[in-house]
Amino acid sequence: MAQHIDDMLSGVDLFAALPKRQLRRLVSGGREVEHTDGREVIGEGRQALGFHLILEGSAAVTTGGAPRRVLGPGDYFGEISLIDGRPRSASVVAMGDLRTFVINATAFQPLLEEPQIARRLLLVLCERLRAAEAVTTSTTSQTT
Ligand code: CMP
């Protein structure tokens, strides 16, 4: 079981550059969680507990009830509050059966000190910012 997670995590972009030893530490500090269809894994505005990497299934991200994105295997969520220490920025709900690997806040913090991981997290945040800006721009240009 631990070996299986090891393989899955090393195949995920975010963790690909981690040395084996650190990956093993990560695996032993995390756990697999199953979520049933419709389960709110993260509630917008709530306090952060952990970081989730999707192993199987998909999840819908919403803010203020509006759909933002659908995430699938290899995607992750819950990093924003662990980075800035503020409440959850969005809700994340299981679409069908969902299995995630959860890393608690304490185990996640040292990962932010890894330049390769920090860079990958930044890239995803940039992508989301661009997507959000594109929505804002198209909304603005429709109304002017
Ligand atoms: P966090 O704020 O900790 O909890 C909610 C999570 O939803 C957030 O971290 C991100 O991982 C994710 N999230 C928030 N906004 C978006 C978005 N626009 N697109 C994809 N994922 C998002």
Side-chain angles (χ1 to χ4, degrees):
M1 162 95 115
Q3 183 56 45
H4 170 64
I5 291 288
D6 251 66
D7 289 343
M8 287 205 76
L9 293 196
S10 61
V12 169
D13 264 13
L14 182 63
F15 300 126
L18 272 188
K20 279 265 178 254
R21 189 171 44 85
Q22 222 168 331
L23 196 65
R24 251 177 268 128
R25 210 181 311 148
L26 196 62
V27 169
S28 57
R31 68 204 154 90
E32 270 185 80
V33 180
E34 312 254 351
H35 314 271
T36 49
D37 183 27
R39 165 93 192 172
E40 188 180 73
V41 183
I42 279 182
E44 188 173 353
R46 296 270 177 85
Q47 194 198 334
L49 298 175
F51 166 93
H52 292 254
L53 171 75
I54 299 181
L55 299 174
E56 242 181 88
S58 47
V61 179
T62 61
T63 56
R68 294 292 166 210
R69 194 174 280 238
V70 172
L71 305 173
D75 290 334
Y76 56 80
F77 54 90
E79 79 290 6
I80 293 180
S81 296
L82 297 182
I83 293 171
D84 68 11
R86 295 176 59 190
R88 294 299 199 186
S89 64
S91 293
V92 183
V93 174
M95 296 170 74
D97 289 342
L98 172 72
R99 197 160 56 92
T100 63
F101 184 72
V102 187
I103 301 167
N104 71 30
T106 316
F108 182 78
Q109 292 307 324
L111 294 177
L112 296 175
E113 307 302 325
E114 294 296 326
Q116 308 270 30
I117 292 205
R119 187 179 166 76
R120 285 181 194 273
L121 286 168
L122 272 174
L123 283 172
V124 171
L125 285 175
C126 290
E127 189 193 318
R128 289 205 200 128
L129 178 64
R130 282 181 184 275
E133 293 290 350
V135 169
T136 313
T137 310
S138 68
T139 311
T140 312
S141 56
Q142 274 167 16
T143 54
T144 51

